[in-house]
Amino acid sequence: ENQKQIPLEIAVYIGHEICKGLDYAHNKKDRDGKPLGIVHRDLTPANILLSYSGEVKIADFGIAKARFNTIDSKTGKLKGKYEYMSPEQARGEDVDARSDVFAVGILLYEMLTGCRLFKTGSDIDTLKKVKAVDIQEPIQINNRISPRLNQIVMRCLHPSKVARFQEAS
C-alpha cells in the first residue's frame, strides 16, 4: 500500500466544513418556519465531495430523513452503510442530528488515523461493532493528534447520543 496520510490540518478543515453543511441542513425550516428535521443518515467518504478550490460539499441526501425513522417501512431493512451508522441507527431507533455528528466522528477518525473504524468482513459483525462502540482512541494510533482534537473526536463517537455534541455546529 502506498497511501499517504491526510495532513491533520486538512482533515480538520474537511470535518469543519462537513459540520457547517450539516448544521445548515439540520436547521432548515419550511415556509412556515417549522424545522424540517433533516438528518443525512448516510454520511460516508463517497458522499463528501472536495473541489480543487477547497470547497467541501455533502452529497446524496437520498436517504435523508425529515421526521421519519431509520427503517425502510417497505422492506424492513436498515438504510445506509453500516460502517458509518450511529449505534442508535444500527439498532433501528429514531435518529436525529446527533447521529450525523457520530458519522462525522467516524469520518474524522478515519482521516486522522488512516484506519477504518468499524468495517469488518461481514455486515452482522460491522453492526455489532458499531453498536458496541468499543474503539481505540485516535491519539493512540496517530500521536500527532492533539489531546483536544482527540477529545472532540471521541465526544462525537460517544455511544450515548446525549453525551455527544448536540448539534453539528
Side-chain angles (χ1 to χ4, degrees):
E1 290 181 33
N2 191 15
Q3 296 181 2
K4 292 190 177 187
Q5 187 71 39
I6 297 173
L8 292 180
E9 300 79 13
I10 293 177
V12 170
Y13 172 76
I14 292 168
H16 178 258
E17 293 297 300
I18 293 168
C19 287
K20 281 173 42 181
L22 286 174
D23 188 59
Y24 177 82
H26 293 159
N27 290 299
K28 190 81 175 135
K29 294 176 174 42
D30 67 14
R31 285 187 238 195
D32 298 324
K34 294 179 188 160
L36 291 173
I38 295 171
V39 181
H40 191 283
R41 298 191 309 166
D42 194 27
L43 216 52
T44 65
N47 289 335
I48 304 303
L49 308 178
L50 307 174
S51 76
Y52 287 109
S53 63
E55 294 173 311
V56 179
K57 302 284 184 185
I58 302 170
D60 196 4
F61 276 79
I63 69 161
K65 141 188 154 28
R67 292 194 219 109
F68 303 116
N69 73 29
T70 310
I71 296 182
D72 185 333
S73 54
K74 292 179 189 153
T75 65
K77 290 184 179 179
L78 285 172
K79 298 176 185 178
K81 302 197 183 44
Y82 300 148
E83 62 265 30
Y84 293 95
M85 286 185 174
S86 65
E88 60 273 14
Q89 186 177 4
R91 290 189 295 267
E93 299 169 3
D94 285 340
V95 297
D96 59 26
R98 297 170 294 187
S99 286
D100 284 345
V101 167
F102 190 90
V104 171
I106 298 170
L107 293 170
L108 271 171
Y109 187 103
E110 293 183 351
M111 287 189 289
L112 294 168
T113 65
C115 299
R116 297 292 300 273
L117 185 57
F118 292 119
K119 180 77 173 159
T120 68
S122 82
D123 289 346
I124 291 171
D125 288 342
T126 297
L127 283 170
K128 284 180 186 174
K129 200 169 175 183
V130 168
K131 291 175 194 176
V133 195
D134 183 17
I135 59 174
Q136 187 176 19
E137 293 192 17
I139 200 168
Q140 295 172 320
I141 299 168
N142 180 351
N143 63 9
R144 293 180 16 246
I145 297 170
S146 72
R148 177 71 179 125
L149 181 55
N150 186 71
Q151 179 185 27
I152 290 168
V153 173
M154 292 306 292
R155 184 167 173 196
C156 289
L157 292 171
H158 199 285
S160 168
K161 61 184 176 181
V162 175
R164 283 181 219 140
F165 294 104
Q166 300 301 292
E167 297 178 351
S169 62

